Amino acid sequence: MLETILARVGDLGIPLDLVKAAVMLAAAFPAAIVYRLIPRRAPPTVRHVYSIVVSGTLFCTLFDVAGLAQLGGAAVSVYGLVKAKRAKRWAPIAVFAFALGGLSLNHIVGQLILKSNVSFDHTAPMMVLVIKLTSFAWAAYDGTRHDEDLSEDQRKLAIRKMPGLIEYLGYIFFFGGFLVGPSFEFVDYKRFIENQPPFDKRPRSFVPTIRALGAAAMSFVLFFKFGKSWSYMYALTPEFSQQSMFKRLLFMQIAGGIARSKYYVAWKLSEAACVLTGIGFNGYSPSGEPRWDRVQNIAIRKFELANNPKSAIDNWNKNTGLWLRRYVYLRIVDSGIKSTAAAAVATYAASAFWHGFRPGFYLTFLTGSFLNIGARTIRRNIRPLFHGNSKLAPLRPVYDVLGWAATIGAINYLVAPFVVHSVHNSLTVWKANAFMLHIALGAVQIGYGFLGLGALTRKFGESIGATYPPPSHRHTKQTQAEKKKLASPAGNVDEKTLTMVADIVDSSTNPMSPEATERS
């Protein structure tokens, strides 16, 4: 019966896998309403079991029992290992290898062997599961360590007492973010379930829920109405290559926005369900306004209006970025690895494997790495011309607008392989756009790396009152004390340090460079 209904909806032109995902995400709302009706005095176990049953039922209805068994088996196996060996550092490392390895096998089977083109199947919640399992394992390990050996962030997230199996599964299968996220920490879930601060005084969530739903609805309309006619796949046709360059560039901008709208639908629906339950509450701002961004995966306005790639990536898939920073990059640095470049490469690899193995993904990641290098080079040399006491400072709005146009244009260009998948298709799309971004990035590196444009720009800038920071000494040999401070989790690894590696997500390089922390 349900399959027949879904098939009829699919006849409207929406892929069946997306219809299934939409049904599951929409079903979270009546489930959230029932969840809120559970009395606060009810035992926490009631809420745990409710989430497990709702998520399991929805998954089996829309997908299959075998997929749920795989997810449940992985979750229970990790729980057993962590409970037995949580005090051993190798335990969270083993969990990471097990979880990411299992996900990678599923990606290989689906993407490379079966060559499936579906966007949502059981690997979507498995990707979320990997984040939860690994973060849980590390937090449980931190719970066995002394406070002086932990950073402030690690102390706040440490699991001091091992939870029971039902409580743990309630966290893993929390219905609000089961399918596409957002992920969140176990300690946040525990505080929420037990009505601990700040959740004991959370305000009404109707308005922020409607706001998130509105964003999802508008995104759905865009994707439903224009998803076919403005797809990157059209860029593979001979007709596209015969268009003028202006029309091709304009098409890429619109196609990029339409392609992103699919993710906005999923993330905003999931966020709205979490806000409705109350777990999205994140305390109050300094002005006293309630914040509902605890489980926000995408800040649409900030992403779409970002005037540099770093700001854009900071607001895309935010919780995945936080996971990579906390439990991949900083854990490698904490282990005493001397090379931050090696830690960056390892984090990049983890991000890539987490996404899957379609060749187009890696072309996007690689190009994104060069984009970040080029963007930092430009910001380091050009940005001071339009700030401070520079005579060109009145033109800063023009600089910001041009930065926005360049950023969103570059993103729409480089993410095309995420949709067209193969190397041949990716190169076909880029060739139809004259490899414009690659040529521009190459010119930036040649100009500033070999032709001395940096010195000329700096000389010109200083002549008009621009202020440049002193030359970087990133390659100066570190003292043993400095190395120890960097490697030690107690060495002031705060939120500022976390943001230094934000551009690891989806595309990055050298996250420990000082320029990585620059803001507009």
Side-chain angles (χ1 to χ4, degrees):
M1 177 67 176
L2 180 60
E3 287 291 335
T4 302
I5 296 175
L6 293 176
R8 289 180 179 176
V9 176
D11 291 339
L12 297 176
I14 306 176
L16 183 59
D17 62 302
L18 297 183
V19 176
K20 288 183 175 182
V23 170
M24 188 168 183
L25 288 167
F29 289 96
I33 293 173
V34 175
Y35 186 88
R36 289 181 66 94
L37 294 176
I38 299 175
R40 288 198 174 191
R41 296 181 179 180
T45 302
V46 175
R47 294 182 176 83
H48 303 322
V49 173
Y50 180 82
S51 281
I52 297 169
V53 171
V54 169
S55 293
T57 301
L58 287 173
F59 187 94
C60 291
T61 300
L62 296 174
F63 297 105
D64 54 58
V65 176
L68 182 64
Q70 187 176 11
L71 297 176
V76 173
S77 298
V78 166
Y79 178 82
L81 174 62
V82 172
K83 185 175 182 179
K85 301 294 182 180
R86 61 179 298 206
K88 304 294 184 180
R89 181 178 173 82
W90 60 260
I93 297 175
V95 168
F96 189 92
F98 167 73
L100 190 60
L103 174 63
S104 297
L105 286 176
N106 279 270
H107 279 323
I108 290 171
V109 171
Q111 297 175 359
L112 301 183
I113 298 177
L114 300 180
K115 298 186 182 300
S116 171
N117 288 320
V118 300
S119 299
F120 291 100
D121 56 17
H122 73 281
T123 59
M126 184 172 286
M127 293 171 75
V128 181
L129 183 73
V130 168
I131 296 177
K132 284 190 172 182
L133 294 181
T134 52
S135 60
F136 176 85
W138 278 111
Y141 166 69
D142 289 340
T144 66
R145 303 164 67 193
H146 298 296
D147 282 352
E148 57 267 26
D149 295 328
L150 302 173
S151 69
E152 181 181 353
D153 186 63
Q154 291 167 351
R155 285 195 294 271
K156 290 189 298 185
L157 302 177
I159 300 173
R160 297 299 181 181
K161 181 181 179 182
M162 189 70 182
L165 179 60
I166 297 300
E167 181 182 16
Y168 163 81
L169 292 177
Y171 161 67
I172 295 295
F173 291 98
F174 180 72
F175 67 91
F178 174 66
L179 181 61
V180 295
S183 62
F184 43 85
E185 297 287 342
F186 175 80
V187 293
D188 290 334
Y189 175 77
K190 185 177 180 65
R191 294 189 189 108
F192 168 66
I193 289 294
E194 297 179 356
N195 295 308
Q196 299 178 16
F199 300 106
D200 57 334
K201 296 180 180 179
R202 61 180 182 267
R204 294 182 182 275
S205 58
F206 177 77
V207 172
T209 299
I210 295 300
R211 189 180 297 120
L213 277 176
M218 288 188 290
S219 300
F220 177 79
V221 170
L222 282 175
F223 184 74
F224 176 75
K225 188 170 180 61
F226 303 109
K228 271 194 168 183
S229 56
W230 293 93
S231 169
Y232 278 121
M233 301 304 290
Y234 174 67
L236 301 174
T237 65
E239 291 81 6
F240 179 79
S241 61
Q242 294 171 4
Q243 302 285 337
S244 67
M245 178 58 71
F246 173 78
K247 289 185 177 180
R248 278 178 274 167
L249 291 175
L250 179 62
F251 176 88
M252 294 292 286
Q253 307 317 307
I254 299 175
I258 299 301
R260 287 193 296 278
S261 67
K262 176 178 67 175
Y263 296 96
Y264 295 166
V265 173
W267 282 337
K268 283 300 178 179
L269 279 176
S270 185
E271 178 187 330
C274 289
V275 169
L276 183 58
T277 64
I279 199 170
F281 181 57
N282 200 21
Y284 292 88
S285 68
S287 62
E289 293 294 320
R291 296 172 53 194
W292 292 94
D293 57 354
R294 183 183 297 274
V295 294
Q296 187 183 69
N297 241 357
I298 176 68
I300 297 178
R301 182 181 59 82
K302 291 181 179 180
F303 177 85
E304 295 290 350
L305 297 180
N307 59 12
N308 63 80
K310 174 66 168 57
S311 295
I313 292 173
D314 278 350
N315 290 288
W316 176 270
N317 209 357
K318 294 164 64 176
N319 288 285
T320 301
L322 194 58
W323 167 65
L324 287 168
R325 288 173 244 164
R326 282 173 171 163
Y327 301 114
V328 183
Y329 184 85
L330 289 177
R331 297 296 171 159
I332 295 174
V333 172
D334 288 351
S335 69
I337 297 294
K338 297 180 180 180
S339 172
T340 56
V345 169
T347 308
Y348 168 83
S351 176
F353 293 159
W354 184 81
H355 281 88
F357 295 94
R358 289 191 171 106
F361 293 177
Y362 292 83
L363 290 176
T364 292
F365 296 148
L366 183 60
T367 303
S369 298
F370 290 115
L371 174 62
N372 279 315
I373 295 173
R376 286 199 297 267
T377 299
I378 292 173
R379 284 171 61 79
R380 186 167 56 244
N381 290 277
I382 304 299
R383 186 173 183 268
L385 299 177
F386 300 92
H387 288 73
N389 296 321
S390 171
K391 293 180 181 179
L392 296 180
L395 297 178
R396 179 177 175 179
V398 176
Y399 168 80
D400 289 339
V401 170
L402 292 176
W404 165 78
T407 296
I408 201 68
I411 289 174
N412 289 331
Y413 172 97
L414 72 87
V415 300
F418 243 83
V419 177
V420 300
H421 294 166
S422 71
V423 172
H424 177 268
N425 287 348
S426 302
L427 296 180
T428 298
V429 174
W430 284 344
K431 181 180 179 181
N433 288 275
F435 293 101
M436 188 171 295
L437 179 63
H438 293 85
I439 292 173
L441 293 176
V444 168
Q445 292 308 309
I446 292 173
Y448 285 94
F450 300 100
L451 300 182
L453 285 183
L456 291 176
T457 303
R458 188 184 185 104
K459 184 176 181 180
F460 169 74
E462 290 174 345
S463 71
I464 61 173
T467 302
Y468 285 85
S472 172
H473 298 287
R474 284 176 290 169
H475 303 294
T476 302
K477 187 175 180 180
Q478 292 176 308
T479 65
Q480 288 300 115
E482 289 172 333
K483 291 179 179 179
K484 184 177 181 180
K485 182 176 181 180
L486 176 63
S488 171
N492 297 324
V493 183
D494 54 15
E495 189 61 29
K496 181 178 179 180
T497 304
L498 292 179
T499 62
M500 296 177 75
V501 290
D503 56 0
I504 274 290
V505 186
D506 295 329
S507 59
S508 67
T509 186
N510 195 13
M512 291 303 291
S513 65
E515 297 82 20
T517 59
E518 289 184 353
R519 300 287 180 182
S520 296

